[in-house]
Amino acid sequence: MRRSKKVIITCAVTGSIHTPSMSPYLPVTPDEIARDAVAAAEAGASMLHLHARDPETGKPDQNPALFAQFLPRIKQQSDAIINITTGGGLGMSLDERLAAAKWARPEVASMNMGSLNFNISNAGGRVETFKHAWEKPYLEMTKDFILSNTFAQIERGLKELGDLGTRFEFECYDVGHLYNLAHFADRGLARPPFFLQCIFGILGGIGADPENLLHMRTIADRLFGNDYYLSVLAAGRHQMPFVTMSAILGGNVRVGLEDSLYAGRGKLATSNAEQVAKIRRIIEELSLEIASPTEAREILQTKGPHDVGF
């Protein structure tokens, strides 16, 4: 594992897992997404991982026209690296999932590295009444849902976005996903340095046990040697302990309302910036330094903010 001297904080601003009824602070409209993203960058995030939502209902939506309403504003008001999802919303076709990133030609895009059962059916367990008709069925259908990321789908995403100069946040939900990435690296379809986003605590993926993080790092070391940077995210209550562990191990961190709605036990985060500020305090108390966007670009070897489509 490459150990950069400074920690890259990624902020995942809204995602496609949580629904509006779960928190009044979840950004939904383009104005809210832009506001929260800029504030997260000001708080210390050097990379912003972005989804879009229907501004009326909050349902995940990959229409490039929605991204066009907030990406230029974020770029104008911050220097953060823009990272566009290719996971999209659960149940979307691959064409839908890739559409925004192909239009935006971002410095970085996410790339899920394998199919998995993806069960978030209990995520709305505390919601007494849902605001929108789509929310409850969207969550409940995941009891019988496979998040599809076949080898053909991954290959298409790597080629079509790689040809645009986009680098990748390789999202690995289990150990096998590391081997999948090694396969594409061996074929020359993924090139180092690899930014591995190891994900813990999704039902269907690897569990949020500290031993699993150490195991993921061990296997990544075996497969990629010094050709990768570790980053970690964890779902819900596991978020802060796991990302702190990543920083201690020499890795990077991801926080944001996509991954957890909370700032502490029983306390909803009022913004993405609140989570960024919290992990920044923790990291600096550990005598580690935060990477600026410029430093993160150098570490990850991105193409820079002037060669994007927005």
Side-chain angles (χ1 to χ4, degrees), residues 25-27 30-40 73-74 270-271:
Y25 307 111
L26 184 70
D31 284 347
E32 291 168 347
I33 293 170
R35 178 203 66 209
D36 254 41
V38 171
R73 294 161 60 183
I74 296 170
T270 59
S271 68

Side-chain angles (χ1 to χ4, degrees), residues 187-206:
R187 294 175 56 197
L189 292 174
R191 61 183 178 85
F194 307 111
F195 187 59
L196 298 189
Q197 191 69 260
C198 294
I199 300 167
F200 300 87
I202 293 292
L203 185 58
I206 197 166

